[in-house]
Amino acid sequence: MFKFWGSQEEQVRPSQDVSTQSWYPPSVSSSRPATPGSTSSNHSSSQRLSDRPQSPSHVPPAEAAGIISALKDKSVDELRKLLSDKDAYNQFLLSLDQVKIQNNLRDELRKETLQLASENLEKEPRIMELRNQCRIIRTTELAAAKEKLNELDQKKEEILKLCSPASLLQRLQESMKETEDESDNLHRQLLDREIDLGSFTHKYKKLRMNYHRRALIQLAAKTT
């Protein structure tokens, strides 16, 4: 009589012998229950299997429990059919909740990917239009803007030169010299009687005040 897994009467040993009618890999076929006709071959294959390093299982306990729960109520004939019939195995596999969840997730991701790809394709004409606009701006408006910017930079440099401390001191010195020349000219007019004393006094006083004020500013600028 066929002994099912977990039976207290007999413990099934893993077998590396694969039936010629089975399409499963050795890792799956080795879990098939032993039959009386394959005792000797199972013994030798089990001995060879024990010499190989065993790879650890990566199936989570919860998923393994769900698979075992789905298999425990099946008859021996149904289990044998799963081992020998690929279509039956695939049908059973697709009926598992874990597989359904993975398939649904895959379908959702595929749908989202297709949607994103479709949206990107719809944006392609707009992208091409913007590229053409950028190319036009680069060749026309950008060139004019660069030229205008260069002009403004030159004006800025000129203004900065005029407002530099050395330039301001130079202009102050020139203004002092002009005031000094006006004072000398006014004094000569008085000597030549070209101007009366009252007008001379008023104008000369104003010129000398401007001269000395600028001289003090120049002295303060040089000492700081």
Side-chain angles (χ1 to χ4, degrees), residues 1-221:
M1 181 178 178
F2 182 83
K3 303 299 182 180
F4 191 65
W5 293 278
S7 174
Q8 297 179 356
E9 297 178 3
E10 180 180 356
Q11 183 177 3
V12 180
R13 293 175 298 180
S15 173
Q16 192 70 15
D17 181 36
V18 182
S19 172
T20 56
Q21 299 179 354
S22 175
W23 58 272
Y24 293 91
S27 60
V28 177
S29 301
S30 61
S31 62
R32 295 176 58 185
T35 57
S38 60
T39 303
S40 59
S41 62
N42 287 344
H43 177 72
S44 60
S45 62
S46 298
Q47 185 177 2
R48 291 194 302 269
L49 185 61
S50 62
D51 296 335
R52 301 179 182 176
Q54 300 294 326
S55 60
S57 175
H58 297 287
V59 181
E63 294 185 7
I67 297 173
I68 293 174
S69 176
L71 288 172
K72 69 179 182 179
D73 294 331
K74 293 187 177 296
S75 64
V76 174
D77 292 337
E78 290 175 337
L79 294 174
R80 286 177 176 173
K81 185 176 181 180
L82 290 177
L83 292 175
S84 59
D85 190 343
K86 185 176 181 178
D87 294 336
Y89 177 83
N90 289 333
Q91 184 177 1
F92 168 74
L93 183 65
L94 295 176
S95 66
L96 296 176
D97 293 338
Q98 295 87 344
V99 177
K100 291 180 180 179
I101 294 174
Q102 293 296 328
N103 288 340
N104 291 336
L105 180 60
R106 178 200 61 193
D107 294 339
E108 291 178 1
L109 292 175
R110 180 183 298 172
K111 182 178 179 181
E112 292 177 0
T113 303
L114 292 175
Q115 183 177 358
L116 290 175
S118 177
E119 292 176 357
N120 291 337
L121 291 175
E122 292 177 356
K123 295 177 181 178
E124 187 174 0
R126 179 58 177 169
I127 294 174
M128 295 301 297
E129 180 182 356
L130 293 176
R131 285 180 178 175
N132 292 333
Q133 292 180 2
C134 292
R135 189 179 298 109
I136 295 174
I137 292 174
R138 190 183 301 113
T139 55
T140 56
E141 298 180 11
L142 182 60
K146 284 184 176 180
E147 184 178 357
K148 185 64 175 179
L149 180 61
N150 292 333
E151 294 178 359
L152 294 176
D153 285 338
Q154 292 178 358
K155 291 182 179 180
K156 183 190 73 173
E157 293 296 331
E158 294 175 358
I159 293 174
L160 290 176
K161 288 180 180 179
L162 293 176
C163 296
S164 64
S167 177
L168 292 176
L169 287 175
Q170 179 66 26
R171 291 168 60 188
L172 187 61
Q173 183 68 30
E174 293 175 356
S175 178
M176 290 173 60
K177 187 177 183 304
E178 290 177 0
T179 304
E180 185 70 19
D181 292 341
E182 290 179 6
S183 299
D184 293 341
N185 186 30
L186 188 64
H187 186 265
R188 187 168 46 255
Q189 289 178 0
L190 178 65
L191 295 177
D192 295 339
R193 299 180 182 277
E194 295 178 0
I195 187 173
D196 61 90
L197 183 60
S199 299
F200 168 80
T201 304
H202 176 74
K203 292 181 179 181
Y204 190 79
K205 180 180 179 181
K206 185 177 180 180
L207 288 173
R208 300 315 296 174
M209 287 179 61
N210 289 336
Y211 176 85
H212 289 295
R213 184 173 65 251
R214 292 166 182 170
L216 291 174
I217 294 174
Q218 184 187 35
L219 179 62

